Amino acid sequence: MNHVIAVAKGEGNSVVQDDTTFHYQTESWGAPAFLRLTSHISPDASVYVEVLAYDKWGVFCQDAATLVHFGLAGTGKLLDNLGTVRGARTLELANGRARIYVDPRGGTSIVSVHAEGLDTTFVKVSSLNEQTTDKE
């Protein structure tokens, strides 16, 4: 991970600062070979799952644009059919990733994602956001 901090000093004693953290990838990658699905809690306490595409060597495929399909089994609900990039059950990966929001509804669910030619992968989502993935 890279962390960049920008500091500017103005007239008098005024100082302005901003920072960002990012992962800079220099490895080459091949065609997507598997998907990795994880669950997260946003700062506003909403729950989402994110899928990333990796090649057979485990290198993140930054330009993958594979069509993926999300599904859910359990008490929760996918927040889909919203016409947005984070509110659609079926969408194309953008920069090798896709997300969808989930309403756990106070219970536990299993969210899945699949794409043609790739194995389906799963993640457990609950109101406590327990993270369990089948590919690490």
Side-chain angles (χ1 to χ4, degrees):
M1 295 301 272
N2 296 291
H3 188 93
V4 176
I5 301 172
V7 179
K9 295 182 181 181
E11 295 179 24
N13 293 329
S14 64
V15 176
V16 178
Q17 180 175 323
D18 197 7
D19 65 295
T20 187
T21 302
F22 58 93
H23 176 78
Y24 186 79
Q25 179 176 326
T26 58
E27 307 101 327
S28 296
W29 57 89
F34 68 92
L35 302 172
R36 185 172 294 153
L37 188 62
T38 55
S39 63
H40 307 273
I41 297 179
S42 296
D44 65 359
S46 58
V47 177
Y48 67 92
V49 295
E50 180 177 52
V51 60
L52 285 84
Y54 291 87
D55 70 10
K56 65 182 178 182
W57 298 283
V59 178
F60 175 59
C61 300
Q62 295 184 27
D63 63 352
T66 308
L67 189 66
V68 296
H69 311 275
F70 290 99
L72 182 139
T75 58
K77 178 180 180 354
L78 291 176
L79 301 179
D80 61 352
N81 300 325
L82 301 176
T84 65
V85 295
R86 291 195 174 87
R89 186 177 292 260
T90 299
L91 68 155
E92 198 173 81
L93 297 177
N95 299 317
R97 68 183 69 224
R99 293 179 181 176
I100 190 167
Y101 283 94
V102 178
D103 179 357
R105 294 186 172 179
T108 301
S109 299
I110 301 295
V111 176
S112 65
V113 67
H114 72 277
E116 189 172 327
L118 302 176
D119 289 340
T120 302
T121 189
F122 305 90
V123 68
K124 182 179 178 180
V125 176
S126 71
S127 54
L128 301 176
N129 196 40
E130 300 169 13
Q131 292 186 353
T132 308
T133 59
D134 68 339
K135 295 193 188 276
E136 290 296 345

